[in-house]
Structures are given as structure tokens and as C-alpha cells.
Amino acid sequence: MDFYSAYAQGFARIAAVTVPVHLADPVANAAVVLEQARGCHDDSVAVAVFPELCLTGYSVDDLFLQDTLLATVEEALAEIVAASADLMTMLVVGAPVVHGNRVFNAAVVIHRGAVLGVAPKSYLPNYREFYERRWFAPGDDRELEWVSVAGQDVRFGPDLIFRCLDVPGLDLHVEVCEDMWVPVPPSAEAALAGATVLANLSGSPITIARAEDRKLLARSASSRCSAAYVYAAAGQGESTTDLSWDGQTMVYECGSLLGESERFPDGPRRTVVDVDLDLVRQERMRQVTFDDNRRTHHERVNRFRTVEWELEPPTGDIGLLRKVDRYPFVPDDPERLALDCYEAYNIQVSGLEQRLTAIGTPKAVIGVSGGLDSTHALIVACKAMDRLGRPRSDVLAFTMPGFATGETTKSYATRLSQALGVTFEELDIRPAAEQMLKDLGHPYGRGEKVYDVTFENVQAGLRYDYLFRLANQRGGIVVGTGDLSELALGWCTYGVGDQMSHYTVNAGVPKTLVQHLIRWVISHGEFDEAVGQLLGEILELEITPELIPVEEGKKPQATQDTVGPYNLQDFTLALVVRHGFRPRKIAFLAWHAWKDVEAGEWPPGFPDGARVAYSLEEVRTWLQVFVKRFFANQFKRSALPNGPKVSPSGTMSPRGDWRMPSDAKGTAWLAEIDRDVPVS
């Protein structure tokens, strides 16, 4: 397996190209197309999409019916076909094509010295500034036909899907400009028939706000069809007698913008991106209504024809031309992050608010440690009480120091609770823990420094044992504080421990998002300045369970030394649960995302000192840890208490988003890591 190859990892490199046009000069335009085609070949591009009628120009009007122009188009196409023999890249070129008694506005698909097919424009605009029916025939009824182009007899019609045999999942459909503006575009039916990459050759002139309309349509098409949508518009050189042109190019994938070029360019521009074909396939498998829709439209969908071709993709490391977020749960864009935090926070608050209301307005009992998770759960509980018009004293916060509780975290738990105005108490669990360890015959009960899992879980279990009994005593429910990342990794004590509660507000929030939620709470003034200052200080703390006493000369217990960096584990979690990716692909993406601390974007407000990089060896090591822990701890997730789903990437609840047998084994996943992921 070629680990470093983007093509071997399920990607296909796609280009949307705009070129300066020479009006009514197909030979000159062919030269420009070939120049860009060679550049695409050098860039290892699989498919390059050029604008509508780029061999003549869109704005030549009645010249479309001149024999001289049409004959020269044939010559230009023959030249491109011949030159393509030495190119890896499939070329999708706009040209007028004569068929029968009419001229068609068409896309000619060319690869390695052959015309693979011709897709005519189905829907011709004949309103406002458009007069296409004056020259062209609509192609919507031209199914199952053949046409002669550049001396070759090839399939002709809007019913063609170009299936690449040696890049699984690369199935191309082509439509032209107006086709995407109609209620049921050809590309939608093609997607139901199996097309994963939908190309649009456009000659759309520009007016105010039309670029945004195009983006809306391209994005929605890619989202509804679970596909990549590739758009290339005409630009420089088109006639400005009555109109203007902007040369917009863009590629969307399942609703996300992968890339776009500047508008109104001087010269050719290429938007080159790597489309994730595995992601498209996974989205379609998960959204079962996608295939239900195919069944509804089976008569039209079944009429599509398949044209097979082979790319012979390059091997080895060609890079990865797409943005890979270090933090799938945390957007890099400040506005998007602020909106996500607003929604996540209010999902948690309203969830707890509803639960409190539904069961008779109990008090909220919560264990606070001074760490991030319990801090966030505490402010969620306070905000829920505010919204219910109840006093914050109905939040009962308990800090329960154990054998390794530090003064710093204990101080933060105390000061924050007091600043928020909740009912606060300290309950020392050490006497009860010592008695239990003695009763168990544990070596620690005899004075030996044995800090095993029993030693840790006696403390963790006692804390929740007390919380549940306190809730019984004081008319409350236990609000769980554990987060999504801990549930995925099994970093919680089962039963009477932090795996259990009456309602768990953080269960849908990954560890890497919690800090940003708290930053948002601070920046948006959800609480007063004193609380905000304390929250800011808590953000700086090391993540630790504080269950093992610190011995002189030794590093204090740190969660991430055991379960792995949450940076990497949350990255893996999102790709496993949301997309079902295999380990080698996750490792490939993690390596690209994390190998260089200077490359790519970091979330807004992310501290410079916390920015790190990981080697491929580290990625591999912690991926193995994730798989082992993820499979071994499903039994904890199968018995989760209620809590709201927050992220579209998923939750661990068996009722919400994740169902898995508790006795499943990760053998196949670990074997793939051993086999396909190199150490360096």
C-alpha cells in the first residue's frame, strides 16, 4: 500500500480552470487550453474542467452558425485530442458541436488521445440577456445517442457518467451552466446514478450578487447530492458589448468549499484541490434516504450510460491539496467558531433546563474539581438556573479532595463556586477512601505506596457515590461532567463513577472544544468580570485526574500521558464516528494536519505556547492507543445516561448516534495500522 500517495488514500485531484478567450479563434483558444492542460498534468490532476464554449467564446452570438467557425472548432478539437495522448489529465472542454440538423452547446470529454463522450447542455436560457435558443438545440432529450467529433464516433447525451477504473469512486458527470439553475438539474439525477464528481462548464456573465447565487447553487448541489461540484466560468476576453464576465472557479465537496480562484483575473487561473472520494461514498452510505431517492427516480436514473476510462495515477507523495483541520470539532474561522460555541453552549443549557423542568425542578448536584470539564458543566448549570428564574443557590457544588488533589485546582473550584453564587461545600473523601482500601486489603491500607487502578477508582467511585447520596438527601439530580473524548477513550470510572450521572451535559462536547466554549463564555460576558477572570486562569491548567500523589522528582500524573494527546485523539474520533475512515487514511490525514506547526491555520485565540507538531511515529502510536481503548471501553458507552448531542460529528450515546457491540474487537483496525502505516 502506497501510504504517502493521495490517490491511494482515496483522493482525486480536480481542477476548475478559467482561461482568457480569443473570440471566434478556436485555434488560439486550443493553444491556451493545452497550456493549462499541461500544467494540470504536471500537477498530477485527474480531471480539469474548462469554461462553457471556451474554444470559441460564449459571446460570439450569430457566429455560432457560421461554417467557418464550426469547421475550425473541429480542427481545434482534433489538435487537443492529439496532444492529450501524452497527458494524464482528463480534459472537459466547452465547444459548439454539430449533431444532425442542429448545433449544441456541449462539453467534450477528452483523455489520452480519445474523445470519451460529449455532454450537451440540457436547458437553454432564453430570457433577459440570454438568447441561446437562437443558435443551439436543447440536449435534454438526447439520450442514448452517438455523435462524430474530431473524427471519432462517441456517445452523446446528458446521460453519461465517466467511471475511472483505477481510481475507485471517481465517477464524473458533466452539465453546462444553466443546467444547475433549474429545479431538477441533470447532475442530481446523475448523482443518484452514481456520479461523485459533478462538473459545470459555465459562460455565465456577471452582475451584482450573481457570484453569490452561483456559490449557493454549487454548495447546495454538493450538499444535497453528497458529491463534489466543480464550477468553471468564462472570464477575460469575452465581449463586453453589453455584458461583463468574472472567470469564477470553485470546487465544493459535500457542502464545504475546497477552493476558489480570484474573480476578474488577468490571465488563466486554476483552482486545484484534492476531492475525498471516500468521504463522498461514506456520506451516501450513511444517509440512507439518498438511495431511497434513487429508487423513487429509478426510471430516469437507470437510463444513464457508463463510459469507462483509466487514469494511471501517479504514485508516491504528491502532497495533499486541501485544507485538513487540526481540530475537526473547532472551526478556524472566528465567526464560524463563535456561532458553533453559541450553539453548543445553548444546546447544553437548554438540555439541562428541559430536564430540570421535566422532573419537578430538582436542584443540580455537581462535583467540581477546578478542571475544565467540571468548570464548564458548572457554568452550564448556573446559566440553566438563570434561564429558569431560579437562584444559583439551587446549584449544589461539592469539591471532594482526594489523596492527590492539588491546592491550585481546589482553590479554583472554591473561588469559582463562590464567585458564581452557588451553594458550595467541601467534602474530604480521604478518610472513607482509606477505610475502603483497608477493607479491601489493598497494600496502601498497610502503608505501602501502591497506586494502581484500584487506588484510583476507589477515589473516583467514592466521589460519585457521595454525589448520588447527596442528591437523594437534598432533592437534586447529579449533573455529569465527563466529555465526549473521555467517553470515546473510556477515561471514566464505570458504574458509580464519572461514567454515570442523572444527566450529563458535556457528553456531546469533545475535549478540544471545551476550552473554546469557555473562551466564548468569557468574551461574550455570560458572567461577570470576576468569574471571567477565574475562567481564564483555569484554561491554563494541565489536564490531570489528580488521583496519584506526586512523588519527589517525578512528573505529576497527566491524563494525556496515558490516553494520548487529545489533539490527535479528537482528530481520530471525528473521522471514525462521522466518516468511518480506515486507520491508514486517518494516519495520513493526521500526519498532513500535524507535521508542521507553522503550516495551516490554528483556531482563533489558540495560545502560541500550546501549538505543537506530531511525527508520523507519534501519530501511529497514539492511533493504536485510540483503537485499543475505543473497542475495549464500549461497555461504558452502552450504559450512558442521557445527555444532548452537540456536534454533527457525533456522540457516544447508543440512543443518539453510536451503536456498537460491547464485545467487538479492534483486531482488523490494529492489523491495518501494523501493515499500512509506516513508522516514519
Side-chain angles (χ1 to χ4, degrees):
M1 189 267 166
D2 189 356
F3 175 82
Y4 296 98
S5 167
Y7 279 99
Q9 294 284 8
F11 295 95
R13 189 156 293 175
I14 308 294
V17 188
T18 188
V19 291
V21 69
H22 302 271
L23 288 177
D25 190 348
V27 174
N29 291 325
V32 175
V33 167
L34 283 172
E35 177 188 29
Q36 292 303 303
R38 294 185 182 102
C40 288
H41 169 86
D42 294 340
D43 289 341
S44 301
V45 170
V47 178
V49 179
F50 291 84
E52 180 181 13
L53 297 167
C54 63
L55 288 190
T56 58
Y58 179 87
S59 54
V60 300
D61 295 346
D62 285 353
L63 295 180
F64 282 125
L65 300 179
Q66 292 289 309
D67 282 344
T68 301
L69 183 69
L70 295 172
T72 310
V73 166
E74 277 284 300
E75 296 170 9
L77 282 171
E79 181 181 349
I80 294 173
V81 171
S84 73
D86 299 324
L87 303 178
M88 179 190 83
T89 306
M90 170 191 274
L91 309 177
V92 185
V93 180
V97 171
V98 178
H99 179 53
N101 299 317
R102 298 297 303 273
V103 179
F104 289 83
N105 180 347
V108 183
V109 181
I110 300 166
H111 187 242
R112 292 200 184 275
V115 179
L116 298 183
V118 176
K121 188 172 185 175
S122 291
Y123 302 101
L124 303 179
N126 224 58
Y127 55 87
R128 293 196 283 273
E129 66 264 38
F130 301 106
Y131 300 92
E132 286 192 35
R133 280 183 178 263
R134 180 179 175 94
W135 313 295
F136 301 121
D140 59 313
D141 62 344
R142 298 292 180 152
E143 297 174 341
L144 305 176
E145 296 189 13
W146 291 69
V147 66
S148 178
V149 175
Q152 301 180 27
D153 290 332
V154 299
R155 292 175 179 86
F156 176 82
D159 58 339
L160 303 179
I161 295 177
F162 300 89
R163 175 159 298 155
C164 186
L165 297 179
D166 53 356
V167 180
L170 178 52
D171 299 305
L172 175 75
H173 177 265
V174 183
E175 63 186 9
V176 182
C177 199
E178 183 75 9
D179 290 346
M180 82 170 182
W181 294 76
V182 300
V184 183
S187 57
E189 294 178 337
L192 294 175
T196 56
V197 178
L198 312 174
N200 187 294
L201 292 74
S202 176
S204 173
I206 187 63
T207 54
I208 292 172
R210 184 171 288 174
E212 290 305 307
D213 290 343
R214 297 176 192 145
K215 293 183 78 168
L216 174 64
L217 289 170
R219 180 184 180 189
S220 62
S222 75
S223 182
R224 283 185 296 100
C225 295
S226 295
Y229 200 90
V230 188
Y231 182 91
Q236 187 180 14
E238 292 285 358
S239 172
T240 57
T241 300
D242 294 298
L243 300 168
S244 191
W245 319 80
D246 66 337
Q248 184 175 27
T249 71
M250 55 189 162
V251 182
Y252 278 88
E253 174 193 272
C254 296
S256 297
L257 180 64
L258 294 186
E260 61 182 333
S261 62
E262 65 180 290
R263 294 166 55 214
F264 305 101
D266 181 13
R269 294 292 187 274
R270 297 198 297 267
T271 294
V272 184
V273 299
D274 288 334
V275 168
D276 192 340
L277 301 172
D278 289 341
L279 185 146
V280 170
R281 176 175 49 80
Q282 278 280 345
E283 286 296 293
R284 292 181 177 184
M285 286 197 302
R286 288 166 189 276
Q287 186 182 349
V288 295
T289 50
F290 182 92
D291 201 58
D292 291 342
N293 196 222
R294 176 201 59 79
R295 292 168 51 241
T296 301
H297 300 280
H298 71 278
E299 289 187 12
R300 287 186 62 84
V301 169
N302 288 346
R303 301 211 302 254
F304 275 83
R305 293 174 286 172
T306 299
V307 180
E308 296 179 343
W309 60 292
E310 294 188 18
L311 179 66
E312 299 176 21
T315 58
D317 186 1
I318 60 170
L320 186 64
L321 300 183
R322 64 185 282 127
K323 179 183 176 184
V324 183
D325 289 321
R326 289 180 173 90
Y327 297 98
F329 294 103
V330 185
D332 297 326
D333 177 69
E335 291 186 9
R336 181 71 250 180
L337 177 57
L339 179 59
D340 281 11
C341 288
Y342 161 78
E343 291 183 333
Y345 181 65
N346 282 283
I347 287 169
Q348 294 177 274
V349 171
S350 62
L352 180 57
E353 181 184 357
Q354 169 63 19
R355 179 50 53 95
L356 291 170
T357 302
I359 57 179
T361 62
K363 295 177 181 178
V365 176
I366 185 168
V368 291
S369 66
L372 288 180
D373 288 345
S374 67
T375 293
H376 186 61
L378 180 60
I379 59 179
V380 165
C382 287
K383 186 58 67 173
M385 290 301 179
D386 292 350
R387 286 175 45 160
L388 288 168
R390 295 173 58 185
R392 290 185 187 171
S393 57
D394 281 355
V395 176
L396 311 183
F398 295 88
T399 189
M400 294 172 281
F403 298 124
T405 300
E407 285 302 317
T408 300
T409 52
K410 178 182 170 183
S411 170
Y412 279 126
T414 303
R415 291 158 58 200
L416 181 62
S417 297
Q418 292 171 344
L420 287 166
V422 303
T423 300
F424 174 74
E425 294 182 37
E426 180 178 327
L427 198 164
D428 191 343
I429 67 166
R430 286 172 292 186
E434 288 173 350
Q435 184 62 51
M436 181 175 286
L437 289 166
K438 288 178 183 178
D439 292 343
L440 292 173
H442 190 275
Y444 186 84
R446 299 190 298 270
E448 299 177 31
K449 294 181 179 181
V450 176
Y451 307 131
D452 56 11
V453 67
T454 303
F455 177 84
E456 294 187 45
N457 280 350
V458 161
Q459 298 170 78
L462 275 171
R463 287 189 173 117
Y464 271 79
D465 198 354
Y466 275 117
L467 289 174
F468 276 104
R469 302 298 74 81
L470 285 163
N472 294 154
Q473 182 189 48
R474 305 190 187 188
I477 63 169
V478 177
V479 177
T481 63
D483 62 52
L484 178 66
S485 309
E486 292 174 342
L487 293 171
L489 295 165
W491 192 245
C492 52
T493 302
Y494 183 73
V496 183
D498 53 335
Q499 177 264 350
M500 187 50 62
S501 65
H502 289 114
Y503 193 76
T504 174
V505 294
N506 288 341
V509 179
K511 187 74 76 176
T512 49
L513 181 59
V514 172
Q515 60 177 299
H516 298 281
L517 288 172
I518 295 175
R519 286 196 185 98
W520 180 87
V521 166
I522 298 170
S523 65
H524 282 72
E526 295 292 310
F527 298 94
D528 63 35
E529 187 175 345
V531 171
Q533 183 174 342
L534 281 170
L535 292 175
E537 293 176 23
I538 291 169
L539 283 170
E540 304 300 321
L541 296 177
E542 168 76 75
I543 301 171
T544 172
E546 292 192 320
L547 293 171
I548 297 177
V550 179
E551 297 186 46
E552 188 175 348
K554 291 188 177 181
K555 183 179 182 292
Q557 184 184 21
T559 298
Q560 296 180 94
D561 291 344
T562 301
V563 302
Y566 282 114
N567 291 337
L568 289 178
Q569 304 303 43
D570 277 1
F571 184 93
T572 299
L573 173 61
L575 300 190
V576 167
V577 176
R578 181 68 178 85
H579 300 304
F581 286 167
R582 54 197 310 168
R584 71 188 189 202
K585 180 160 189 164
I586 294 172
F588 175 79
L589 289 169
W591 176 62
H592 275 281
W594 287 98
K595 64 181 178 180
D596 183 357
V597 73
E598 300 297 332
E601 299 178 63
W602 292 85
F606 200 87
D608 291 342
R611 300 183 181 193
V612 294
Y614 300 103
S615 66
L616 182 56
E617 182 178 9
E618 290 174 301
V619 168
R620 187 181 192 273
T621 296
W622 294 118
L623 182 57
Q624 289 174 315
V625 170
F626 179 93
V627 171
K628 291 174 183 176
R629 296 193 66 94
F630 188 77
F631 277 88
N633 288 283
Q634 174 60 29
F635 73 98
K636 297 179 182 179
R637 302 188 291 267
S638 294
L640 284 183
N642 294 170
K645 178 177 177 179
V646 173
S647 169
S649 291
T651 180
M652 292 286 95
S653 169
R655 298 168 302 278
D657 205 28
W658 184 255
R659 294 161 182 82
M660 169 181 165
S662 296
D663 44 8
K665 302 296 182 184
T667 307
W669 284 259
L670 292 169
E672 180 173 299
I673 296 172
D674 288 339
R675 181 184 67 243
D676 294 340
V677 181
V679 175
S680 61

